[in-house]
Amino acid sequence: MCGRFSITQPTDAMARLFDAAPSNDLPPVPNYNVCPTNDVATVVAGDGVRRLVAMRWGFIPTWYKTPTDGPLLINARSETIAQKPAFAEACRTRRCLIPADGFYEWTKDETGARLPWYLYRADGQVMVFAGVWQTWRMGDQDLTTCAIVTTAANERLSAIHKRQPVILNPDQWALWLGEAGHGAARLMRAGAEDQVDFHRVGTAVNSNRASGPDLTKQINF
């Protein structure tokens, strides 16, 4: 799964990378500890134009009466996304890209203590998650929300966690966004074993209030 991530790319750099027009309400960067319910930068496409827009991380199904009316849906499983009522329509018609520098996962030691790891692209490029989105409306409330699509981890990453985000390469972005026709379902799988690298980081990130570049720094253990 993916429950926390980091993003340090400046807005103008992300706009250039995705050839997208940026909105004026994007969340501030850098953010080394993006948490569920935070606003995140996402890329959407329509009418031949890509846009870089802010969305709340935590997908709200249309039938929720309030944003907290049910579980917080930060991830969508690739194996069931097309059948789940919460995600089925979004999977077909509202897909997005969610840029990150990397994401955090946790293992446990023999005492049950949570040990954080930072996972990032081995080639040093921006990590781009497959996402789905929708706008939830109730009365005068209006929230555009998203979830990260996850899949079974490849053999190497399964040592850290059994799930991982679907990570898209640049040549896959157009297909996921619906710009290159049909067939996005085939992208919902783990990448190559050497696509992602990882290292242990300090336990400060165990707190969702933690911040700063030290959160991603490698520690010896």
Side-chain angles (χ1 to χ4, degrees):
M1 64 173 293
C2 180
R4 304 264 200 90
F5 65 91
S6 70
I7 178 66
T8 66
Q9 302 297 316
T11 295
D12 57 349
M14 286 192 284
R16 288 194 301 271
L17 176 65
F18 297 106
D19 192 22
S23 67
N24 58 12
D25 63 347
L26 291 166
V29 286
N31 187 345
Y32 292 90
N33 192 9
V34 181
C35 300
T37 74
N38 287 173
D39 282 349
V40 297
T42 69
V43 180
V44 296
D47 299 323
V49 176
R50 288 182 182 177
R51 293 177 293 122
L52 185 66
V53 299
M55 297 185 189
R56 195 197 82 150
W57 182 23
F59 193 97
I60 305 178
T62 56
W63 58 85
Y64 278 23
K65 292 181 173 58
T66 70
T68 58
D69 202 30
L72 185 62
L73 305 179
I74 62 171
N75 294 155
R77 293 175 67 94
S78 62
E79 297 89 345
T80 58
I81 190 172
Q83 290 79 43
K84 289 288 185 181
F87 298 120
E89 185 180 352
C91 180
R92 291 192 300 272
T93 63
R94 293 188 301 276
R95 299 188 297 270
C96 62
L97 308 176
I98 303 175
D101 288 1
F103 65 100
Y104 301 96
E105 286 295 358
W106 282 261
T107 55
K108 291 184 178 180
D109 66 14
E110 60 278 3
T111 70
R114 299 177 74 226
L115 308 176
W117 299 77
Y118 186 61
L119 299 89
Y120 48 91
R121 283 191 66 114
D123 60 10
Q125 299 302 305
V126 175
M127 183 175 277
V128 178
F129 304 139
V132 291
W133 68 276
Q134 75 175 10
T135 299
W136 173 87
R137 294 183 176 91
M138 186 64 65
D140 60 357
Q141 284 190 289
D142 189 322
L143 286 175
T144 300
T145 65
C146 64
I148 294 170
V149 181
T150 67
T151 190
N154 64 39
E155 184 175 358
R156 183 165 179 263
L157 295 192
S158 65
I160 305 297
H161 199 279
K162 64 182 180 180
R163 306 287 299 175
Q164 68 169 82
V166 171
I167 300 167
L168 301 174
N169 294 320
D171 62 354
Q172 299 171 322
W173 297 347
L175 183 58
W176 185 255
L177 289 174
E179 300 169 321
H182 301 291
R186 66 175 180 265
L187 302 178
M188 292 191 289
R189 55 183 176 77
E193 296 283 326
D194 60 354
Q195 182 185 33
V196 176
D197 208 347
F198 52 85
H199 59 245
R200 270 285 310 281
V201 294
T203 56
V205 77
N206 289 1
S207 168
N208 59 14
R209 296 185 179 90
S211 63
D214 287 349
L215 297 182
T216 65
K217 287 185 178 178
Q218 183 171 2
I219 64 167
N220 295 319
F221 62 97

